[in-house]
Amino acid sequence: MDELSIASLDRIGYSYVEEGNPALRDISLEVRRGEWLALLGGNGSGKSTLAKHLNALLAPMQGACFISGMDSRDERNLWEIRKTISMVFQNPENQIVSTVVEDDTAFGPENLGLPPDEIENRVKKALDIAGLSDKAKSASYTLSGGQKQRLAIAGAIAMEPPCIVLDEPTAMLDPQGRGEVMALLEELHGHGITIIHITHRLEEIRKATRAVVLQAGRLIWDGLPEDLFKEPELTSWGLELPPIVSFWRRLRERGLCEDDVILTVEGLVNRLCR
Ligand SMILES: Nc1ncnc2c1ncn2[C@@H]1O[C@H](COP(=O)(O)OP(=O)(O)OP(=O)(O)O)[C@@H](O)[C@H]1O
Ligand SMILES: [Mg+2]
């Protein structure tokens, strides 16, 4: 394992039930520091099960999972693994633990047993990055869905982990909330945080540096997001093309567009009016 690797999965397998289909089969994956990895797949393909291996909520039944070199099967590593990789889940409501925004963000650092001024600094910084500084004293329940999810992300980054795993963080949000969360992911990536972003919305992978696809518990594709959009089999993997990309693919089939994927209305209009 090289030292740039933050997570290293070596042929892992996992089953919830003794008989029947395993949730994960023979998955090998190396996630390097600084990557923004989009983890895609249809319903039930194993995305959340894989995510739970990354912060040792589950241990592999076959193979091994190393986080910053620490074997997740060794219980003595759990604490350090969870400091290395923070998790953010789908439903922001379930992740808020305090009635006041800044107390909620302080929850993680307090559990780390940090001194009060260090906690205060971290909370300030995390709320600032999440764009919630002006809400620090507000009641958590008054926030919008997008703001609540940004609060959950602020709580995760206040732990100052090198890596954050987000399991469909936009699934329960309206378009505005989704936009806010995606902008925040870009900001985090700019701060050097490794991002593992689980989604089944292909329009959310544009800024990722790498994409992998799971199908029926297997890792079936690994490459650059722009190449994934060209993949002919995509829709049979339970993934839906954004309308613009679908349009671009049809035009490309007829020789009306070049090979470079077009992802925005603006880009398509520019191409067609040229
Ligand atoms: N607690 C559980 N007990 C039994 N089977 C489970 C459990 N959790 C998940 N599974 C099964 O394991 C497989 C993978 O599920 P997982 O939740 O990892 O998929 P997913 O890709 O996250 O799906 P979704 O897009 O619906 O979130 C599915 O077949 C699912 O039914
Ligand atoms: Mg899931």
Side-chain angles (χ1 to χ4, degrees):
M1 196 204 72
D2 71 66
E3 60 189 58
L4 283 173
S5 161
I6 192 123
S8 175
L9 310 185
D10 184 19
R11 308 198 64 176
I12 68 167
Y14 188 85
S15 299
Y16 289 98
V17 282
E18 253 172 53
E19 277 157 51
N21 291 332
L24 296 179
R25 314 165 193 233
D26 202 26
I27 291 192
S28 294
L29 176 69
E30 196 90 29
V31 184
R32 309 186 98 216
R33 283 175 196 270
E35 275 190 318
W36 176 341
L37 180 76
L39 174 56
L40 297 141
N43 284 342
S45 57
K47 304 180 296 297
S48 296
T49 307
L50 181 54
K52 286 174 189 152
H53 279 77
L54 294 171
N55 88 333
L57 286 170
L58 294 176
M61 289 170 169
Q62 286 93 40
C65 173
F66 297 93
I67 305 302
S68 270
M70 296 173 282
D71 189 334
S72 71
R73 291 166 301 181
D74 186 342
E75 285 193 4
R76 287 168 299 181
N77 289 334
L78 290 191
W79 181 243
E80 281 302 319
I81 286 176
R82 289 182 189 154
K83 271 168 48 182
T84 306
I85 297 195
S86 283
M87 297 280 290
V88 172
F89 297 98
Q90 202 174 84
N91 189 345
E93 306 285 345
N94 295 345
Q95 299 175 79
I96 290 170
V97 289
S98 300
T99 49
V100 177
V101 166
E102 62 183 0
D103 297 345
D104 194 78
T105 311
F107 184 78
E110 274 165 2
N111 277 341
L112 292 178
L114 298 168
D117 52 341
E118 169 73 11
I119 295 175
E120 199 181 321
N121 283 339
R122 285 189 180 205
V123 168
K124 263 208 181 107
K125 196 171 152 199
L127 287 177
D128 182 43
I129 292 173
L132 290 171
S133 298
D134 58 334
K135 300 280 179 190
K137 309 277 179 205
S138 301
S140 321
Y141 76 87
T142 62
L143 301 183
S144 69
Q147 288 168 335
K148 280 181 186 153
Q149 194 58 301
R150 286 191 280 138
L151 176 58
I153 296 171
I157 59 177
M159 311 280 282
E160 300 195 346
C163 177
I164 162 165
V165 176
L166 306 105
D167 191 352
E168 305 213 39
T170 64
M172 311 198 63
L173 305 180
D174 60 14
Q176 177 173 343
R178 285 206 290 275
E180 289 171 14
V181 167
M182 292 311 299
L184 178 51
L185 291 195
E186 213 177 328
E187 173 95 14
L188 299 186
H189 188 236
H191 278 80
I193 298 177
T194 307
I195 294 177
I196 300 174
H197 175 205
I198 297 173
T199 180
H200 60 246
R201 305 181 79 94
L202 278 166
E203 59 269 35
E204 293 186 344
I205 73 166
R206 286 194 278 153
K207 300 280 170 65
T209 57
R210 179 183 172 196
V212 297
V213 180
L214 294 185
Q215 188 192 33
R218 291 187 196 280
L219 205 159
I220 57 158
W221 197 94
D222 184 347
L224 294 173
E226 60 259 40
D227 291 333
L228 183 61
F229 289 117
K230 295 176 192 163
E231 190 51 64
E233 296 299 317
L234 200 62
T235 45
S236 69
W237 301 337
L239 298 171
E240 211 174 305
L241 278 173
I244 294 296
V245 178
S246 180
F247 200 22
W248 164 77
R249 273 170 58 144
R250 305 270 281 275
L251 293 170
R252 179 169 161 259
E253 276 160 26
R254 298 190 177 199
L256 292 167
C257 276
E258 295 84 5
D259 254 3
D260 290 338
V261 61
I262 295 175
L263 297 161
T264 59
V265 175
E266 184 79 3
L268 197 58
V269 170
N270 284 342
R271 175 65 195 85
L272 293 177
C273 295
R274 211 188 297 149

